[in-house]
């Protein structure tokens, strides 16, 4: 029988400067049409602040590969 290890990511809050590990199920990934509109977000478990950080190609691969909920943003143009 194969044992599944939950994936966790190290993160930090820019407001309270807390550092912690977050499970994939508490992160959200939004993929936009450019690097300016591609980001991941979470709520700081220490202070409750909504945190939004840019996500480059490598971060997108890591998060989506770990099962992070993903929203694809479409351009209206």
């Amino acid at each position: 029988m194969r044992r599944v290890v939950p994936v966790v990511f190290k993160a930090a809050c820019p407001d309270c400067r807390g550092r912690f590990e977050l499970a994939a199920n508490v992160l959200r990934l939004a993929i936009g049409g450019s690097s300016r509109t591609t980001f991941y977000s979470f709520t700081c478990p220490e202070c409750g602040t909504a945190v939004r950080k840019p996500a480059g190609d490598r971060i997108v691969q890591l998060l989506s590969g770990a099962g992070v909920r993903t929203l694809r943003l479409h351009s209206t143009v």
Side-chain angles (χ1 to χ4, degrees):
M1 192 164 161
R2 191 173 180 195
R3 184 174 172 223
V4 177
V5 178
V7 177
V8 293
F9 296 94
K10 290 185 179 185
C13 177
D15 281 0
C16 73
R17 305 241 184 246
R19 295 188 174 279
F20 35 81
E21 292 184 343
L22 297 173
N25 66 337
V26 300
L27 293 162
R28 293 162 305 279
L29 175 63
I31 301 175
S34 71
S35 60
R36 289 181 51 160
T37 57
T38 300
F39 60 91
Y40 67 98
S41 62
F42 59 90
T43 300
C44 175
E46 294 184 13
C47 71
T49 297
V51 179
R52 177 176 162 166
K53 295 190 175 188
D57 291 338
R58 180 75 176 133
I59 298 293
V60 169
Q61 285 179 334
L62 289 171
L63 294 178
S64 60
V68 170
R69 289 177 290 167
T70 303
L71 173 65
R72 295 198 181 271
L73 307 174
H74 297 282
S75 173
T76 58
V77 178

